Amino acid sequence: MNIREYKKKDLKEVISLWTECGLVVPQNDPAKDIERKLKKDRDLFLVGFNEKGIIATVMGGYDGHRGWINYLAVKPSEQHNGFGQKIMQAVEVSIKNKGCPKINLQVRNSNTDVLAFYSAIGYGNDNVIGLGKRLEYD
């Protein structure tokens, strides 16, 4: 798998991957999420690809205090080949190079497979409760 920054031509393929991976939810319009991301730290929005097309994504961010990970996805037929770990390592390096000391991410409690993946690559439970408030409804 090769990794590069997201390009606008990737839109449909990325949304299709996110849909296949169950990341698209009614309260988030993925096209709007991508549009918003391209306005800030677009270099932290990475896609992994091979001869089959885009098979992985990660959307990283850094707010000056903490790094964040969103939309990590690996095509189900390509999972368990190290691609998730590889694209995470790439975004972690980029976030660290911006001066970030720590990365946060959120995973639903019910998503035990993803929790196991993150644990295997060094992420742990910070024993905090994630809170959110919608400021715009897609």
Side-chain angles (χ1 to χ4, degrees), residues 7 13 23 36-37 41 43 46 92 99 132 138:
K7 297 177 182 176
E13 199 171 357
L23 298 180
R36 291 176 186 120
K37 179 62 194 164
D41 289 330
D43 60 313
L46 305 177
E92 287 171 354
D138 295 342

Side-chain angles (χ1 to χ4, degrees), residues 37-80:
K37 179 62 194 164
L38 295 178
K39 294 177 184 174
K40 176 80 172 126
D41 289 330
R42 69 183 304 137
D43 60 313
L44 298 178
F45 187 6
L46 305 177
V47 298
F49 63 97
N50 63 16
E51 66 282 351
K52 298 175 185 175
I54 294 175
I55 60 167
T57 65
V58 67
M59 188 185 282
Y62 178 48
D63 62 17
H65 178 64
R66 291 285 185 255
W68 286 91
I69 299 297
N70 295 291
Y71 284 112
L72 173 66
V74 176
K75 191 171 187 66
S77 62
E78 301 290 332
Q79 292 177 2
H80 307 290

Side-chain angles (χ1 to χ4, degrees), residues 45-121:
F45 187 6
L46 305 177
V47 298
F49 63 97
N50 63 16
E51 66 282 351
K52 298 175 185 175
I54 294 175
I55 60 167
T57 65
V58 67
M59 188 185 282
Y62 178 48
D63 62 17
H65 178 64
R66 291 285 185 255
W68 286 91
I69 299 297
N70 295 291
Y71 284 112
L72 173 66
V74 176
K75 191 171 187 66
S77 62
E78 301 290 332
Q79 292 177 2
H80 307 290
N81 291 313
F83 299 142
Q85 184 174 356
K86 185 175 179 182
I87 202 164
M88 280 296 293
Q89 287 172 341
V91 79
E92 287 171 354
V93 167
S94 295
I95 292 171
K96 184 177 181 182
N97 287 341
K98 290 180 178 282
C100 180
K102 182 176 187 255
I103 295 174
N104 290 341
L105 54 87
Q106 296 178 323
V107 179
R108 289 180 181 88
N109 289 333
S110 61
N111 202 340
T112 55
D113 289 342
V114 171
L115 288 168
F117 165 78
Y118 281 119
S119 178
I121 63 169

